[in-house]
Amino acid sequence: MQTNRLGRTAVTVTPLGFGGGPLGGLFAPVDHDVAMAALAAAWAGGIRYFDTSPHYGIGQSERLVGEFLRQRPRDAYTLSTKVGRVLVPQDPAGRMDDVGFHVPATHRRVWDFTRDGIRRSVEDSLTRMGVDRFDVLLLHDAEEHFEDALRDGYPALAELRDEGVVGAIGAGMYDTALQTRLVRETDIDVMIQSGRSTLLDHTAFDGLLPECQRREVSVIAASIFNSGLSATPRPLADAHYDYEPAPPEMVTRTHRIADVCEAHGVTVPQAAMKFPLRHPAVVGILVGMRSAEEARDDIAMFDMDVPEPLWADLRAEGLVSV
């Protein structure tokens, strides 16, 4: 795959990136060998950007991604992880993690956007992954702790960038208003935008993406299927939208999008993968992959061209705004 540069940095990413959330056991357990096969299929398909977080499976995703990447040349890939939660060991006492990841509750998450907390988080992540450095560090899910993240977290990341410890810094969030504020008030390089720059939700196109373009902040779109509603050619009976059962009006709208897509020989997930990239600020997308089959399917869909008239017809039907 080609690569795109993040902001004004020397860090590059492939336009399709590997999202590490599912490898943390999100929604269902993940077998070690299945996870390794997913990563291998992604690599074979040309993916060279891998994103993870301590939050994903309280360290499991980082360990799995690190185990795989340690066998590859360090300069051959781009790796990002996130800060804001420190993992504190605890006795699981037979309990499982209680925030959606199917892993034993061996640690608890403690919010910490202080300088010391962020440096501890980075060191812990380096140890878990067994790598020598990260290319990108991101403030994670800072919505409920935004002032702390802005006051303490961002300067800590900027310091690490100035020291050459990391090549690019930014945030991974879903709240576009807070993301826009962060872009305006700091000197970040990249924003992972979750769920609001998608085929089904265009919120980020109204303010955040234009501001990122003006400030030369690159955007990577995540949660592009909005928890699954646009991940299949037609909505499934138990489809979810933003982690909740899909509202009937969203299901109806997705069926209408599918009608237009099918008229152009395109599926809804193909369109969902390409839609965020229509804005010049967006340099890539992240897709969670939990098996080799998923990875190969995602790469094949991403490689397919989407005809330009599709977007015109979706706009004409009032189904997309850009």
Side-chain angles (χ1 to χ4, degrees), residues 205-216:
F205 284 78
D206 295 334
L208 175 63
L209 297 189
E211 189 66 20
C212 287
Q213 185 179 8
R214 282 191 290 271
R215 304 269 302 191
E216 296 184 79

Side-chain angles (χ1 to χ4, degrees), residues 29-68:
V30 175
D31 176 79
H32 173 274
D33 291 344
V34 171
M36 290 298 112
L39 289 158
W43 186 277
I47 292 175
R48 295 295 183 269
Y49 173 43
F50 297 84
D51 174 71
T52 183
S53 168
H55 172 57
Y56 302 153
I58 46 181
Q60 176 172 285
S61 175
E62 286 190 326
R63 286 190 292 270
L64 291 170
V65 173
E67 178 182 341
F68 177 81

